[in-house]
Amino acid sequence: MRPSTPFPRPWLWTGSSTGLVCFVCLLLLVWAGSGCAPLQREAPSVSPEKADGIWSAFWSRQERIASLPGASLRGSLNIFTPEQKRRITFELWGSPPTPLRLHLRAGLGTTISMWEIRGDRILIFSPRNNQAYIAENTAQATAAMGLRLPFSLPRMTQLLTGSWSELLPRQYERYQALPQERYAFYPRGKQRIDRVVLDHKSRIVALSGDSPHGWRLERKELTTRQGRVLSQRLELTTQRHEELILRIKAFDPRSDPWPEEDLRLDLPADTQMRSLGAPESGSRTE
């Protein structure tokens, strides 16, 4: 009988257990180098020249856009707070920043309230109970609506129409490169807006601040009308667990101001007038 040929002994088993120990050590080294700690992505960076170019391009676009003597906006609001969840539609028109008119309606089209905004003084009429309310500032009015906005309604109108010259300072103190080719700029000095995020096309995609309380605003579904970069969807969140989702369905600029008769809120003769209470401390908007 032909003697059987033994299988060749691999290096792992030659000698004593030295080969096995070497193999285990190799596995441990591989595991420690790749599987033990996650790979760290290098933080994005940008040169001062490029950052300044992104910021300057944003302001160059602002200088090129035409003035806005009048405009109208139509859309919807979804409001989420710890106390309520509701959806309303709105129509806003006027000569920014003021005077303005604002109509709020429920989902079925029933008018909730009609507003006349002049400066920061607001007249609100509720046809359901035939009562009118006078608010001395936006904080009173928007708190009555169930949401605390970081801006007054005239400033919010400028934001919605892409008019930034009165909302943002021209100078920034520092910048930061972010993922997805975005860049955060921190304005110089104490500002209502303390962080502005631009994309690689120098368009504002996010804002944040801490006055009157912490908030963040994201601008989504960007589009351009007559050189203005507009957002068709805005998402505002606050540290008080409030959320506002605002959708713009129509924007119509005008070449002249709105006629005064279209902006004046005429009240029925038997309307009861009331004054809204003072806003809570630190809630005044600008």
Side-chain angles (χ1 to χ4, degrees):
M1 179 182 294
R2 185 178 178 181
S4 60
T5 303
F7 288 104
R9 300 176 67 187
W11 69 270
L12 177 62
W13 307 108
T14 57
S16 60
S17 60
T18 304
L20 177 59
V21 172
C22 292
F23 182 74
V24 172
C25 289
L26 178 61
L27 288 179
L28 289 175
L29 287 173
V30 172
W31 176 76
S34 60
C36 182
L39 294 175
Q40 298 293 326
R41 291 187 178 181
E42 184 177 352
S45 62
V46 61
S47 67
E49 293 77 15
K50 183 173 182 179
D52 196 60
I54 293 289
W55 183 258
S56 298
F58 164 75
W59 283 111
S60 295
R61 182 191 299 118
Q62 283 293 298
E63 293 169 355
R64 292 193 302 268
I65 63 175
S67 61
L68 192 65
S72 64
L73 294 162
R74 181 169 50 86
S76 64
L77 294 166
N78 286 276
I79 302 172
F80 305 92
T81 72
E83 296 80 23
Q84 64 171 324
K85 295 180 181 179
R86 62 172 169 162
R87 180 183 183 275
I88 57 179
T89 61
F90 72 89
E91 290 182 66
L92 174 68
W93 69 93
S95 304
T98 64
L100 301 170
R101 282 290 304 274
L102 172 66
H103 282 197
L104 300 178
R105 293 183 173 87
L108 297 178
T110 304
T111 299
I112 300 173
S113 59
M114 297 180 287
W115 303 39
E116 179 184 332
I117 305 161
R118 295 181 182 273
D120 204 26
R121 183 180 174 87
I122 302 173
L123 174 64
I124 306 172
F125 175 64
S126 173
R128 292 182 295 181
N129 55 16
N130 198 36
Q131 291 187 350
Y133 304 88
I134 297 176
E136 296 297 334
N137 57 66
T138 295
Q140 292 176 329
T142 55
M145 188 176 67
L147 189 73
R148 302 171 185 86
L149 296 175
F151 304 102
S152 66
L153 289 176
R155 290 285 185 261
M156 196 72 185
T157 302
Q158 292 176 317
L159 186 152
L160 294 177
T161 57
S163 304
W164 299 99
S165 59
E166 296 183 20
L167 293 172
L168 296 176
R170 290 294 186 113
Q171 303 296 322
Y172 63 89
E173 186 173 30
R174 59 188 177 92
Y175 66 88
Q176 177 187 9
L178 303 175
Q180 300 178 337
E181 293 188 271
R182 295 186 172 191
Y183 310 89
F185 295 88
Y186 300 85
R188 184 171 298 168
K190 183 65 175 177
Q191 305 288 341
R192 172 74 57 172
I193 300 171
D194 59 22
R195 186 173 186 261
V196 183
V197 179
L198 304 181
D199 65 6
H200 66 285
K201 297 181 179 180
S202 297
R203 303 177 302 181
I204 293 181
V205 294
L207 303 167
S208 59
D210 59 7
S211 179
H213 43 77
W215 59 271
R216 175 178 172 81
L217 177 70
E218 294 187 61
R219 303 177 74 232
K220 300 182 177 181
E221 300 178 20
L222 300 180
T223 185
T224 303
R225 284 284 304 275
Q226 298 183 355
R228 296 175 179 270
V229 178
L230 307 176
S231 172
Q232 299 178 89
R233 178 186 174 99
L234 297 97
E235 298 179 4
L236 172 67
T237 55
T238 77
Q239 289 182 345
R240 299 187 179 189
H241 307 291
E242 300 162 323
E243 182 179 5
L244 168 68
I245 299 176
L246 188 151
R247 293 181 175 89
I248 302 295
K249 297 182 178 179
F251 167 67
D252 295 309
R254 289 173 57 100
S255 58
D256 55 350
W258 277 85
E260 174 62 25
E261 58 268 24
D262 292 338
L263 301 175
R264 186 172 53 247
L265 179 56
D266 296 321
L267 302 176
D270 58 345
T271 301
Q272 299 181 24
M273 299 290 297
R274 295 188 177 184
S275 178
L276 290 177
E280 60 185 279
S281 177
S283 63
R284 184 178 179 85
T285 57
E286 296 178 355

